Amino acid sequence: MKKFLIILIIIFICGVLSADICMKQIQESDAVVGLEYYKQYANTKLIFKDVFWSILYDRLKLFVGIGVLCFTPLKERIGFIIVPLFSFVWGFYLMSCIIELGVAGLAIGLASVLPHGILYVSGVGLLLGHKRRKYYMKNSLVADAGIYIFIFILGITGCIIESLVATHFIPWVIRLSLI
């Protein structure tokens, strides 16, 4: 586990360095983050319901995809592929936000992952770590259903928190940084 964590930190740093190497291109183009996008985002009145359904649809695709893969022989390998990929992408995104907005970019990058990311990671961890029981065992169907319902509740709660952060906190931080 320690080796995997060290590898994740190295991959995260590689993502940060990749964004740092591409700094000139990031600043010149609006392809990655885009200051104009942030200005529009901060000045647009976001409706919680619309943001929630959009986020729910996107996260549901991800959770269903991982869930389907959990019923295949690839279940043991999925975590070793998905987690490093997310680590690299988040490092690149965080550094891009910092390049574009400075210290406010750090707050935006962290807010884009932290409050709800803990719930998502917990749900995916439970999904990947759950061992299905033989259904002839006593109460095994109820226990499996309980785990999947709990994972569903974690996902929905994460979507609600992410929607609140996206509609209230992130625009507020952007408005503060652009003043």
Side-chain angles (χ1 to χ4, degrees):
M1 186 65 181
K2 285 183 181 180
K3 289 179 183 179
F4 187 66
L5 185 60
I6 290 170
I7 290 171
L8 285 180
I9 291 170
I10 291 170
I11 291 172
F12 175 80
I13 291 170
C14 288
V16 168
L17 292 175
S18 297
D20 198 37
I21 290 169
C22 301
M23 182 169 53
K24 186 172 176 96
Q25 289 83 7
I26 291 170
Q27 288 176 334
E28 290 176 357
S29 80
D30 292 339
V32 178
V33 180
L35 190 58
E36 289 303 317
Y37 169 77
Y38 280 127
K39 288 178 184 176
Q40 290 175 350
Y41 187 81
N43 295 322
T44 303
K45 179 66 177 155
L46 298 171
I47 300 169
F48 173 81
K49 180 181 71 167
D50 296 337
V51 173
F52 172 75
W53 289 113
S54 174
I55 288 173
L56 181 65
Y57 177 71
D58 288 340
R59 302 307 173 255
L60 194 62
K61 288 189 297 188
L62 183 66
F63 270 96
V64 168
I66 293 172
V68 168
L69 288 174
C70 283
F71 288 99
T72 67
L74 297 173
K75 180 178 181 175
E76 287 78 28
R77 304 285 185 238
I78 297 170
F80 294 112
I81 296 168
I82 293 174
V83 175
L85 179 67
F86 284 156
S87 179
F88 179 84
V89 169
W90 191 62
F92 189 89
Y93 175 72
L94 184 63
M95 190 62 188
S96 299
C97 289
I98 292 170
I99 289 169
E100 197 70 43
L101 296 173
V103 177
L106 178 64
I108 291 168
L110 291 174
S112 68
V113 172
L114 272 187
H116 48 281
I118 295 169
L119 297 174
Y120 294 150
V121 168
S122 301
V124 170
L126 281 173
L127 193 59
L128 292 174
H130 177 65
K131 303 234 187 292
R132 291 185 306 278
R133 298 168 182 82
K134 304 290 184 202
Y135 286 112
Y136 56 81
M137 295 173 67
K138 185 178 181 181
N139 296 331
S140 62
L141 186 61
V142 173
D144 282 345
I147 292 288
Y148 292 124
I149 290 170
F150 183 67
I151 292 169
F152 179 76
I153 291 170
L154 281 175
I156 295 294
T157 307
C159 290
I160 291 169
I161 292 172
E162 186 176 2
S163 300
L164 288 171
V165 167
T167 56
H168 299 295
F169 180 72
I170 292 178
W172 176 73
V173 171
I174 294 170
R175 283 191 294 274
L176 283 178
S177 69
L178 296 177
I179 292 176

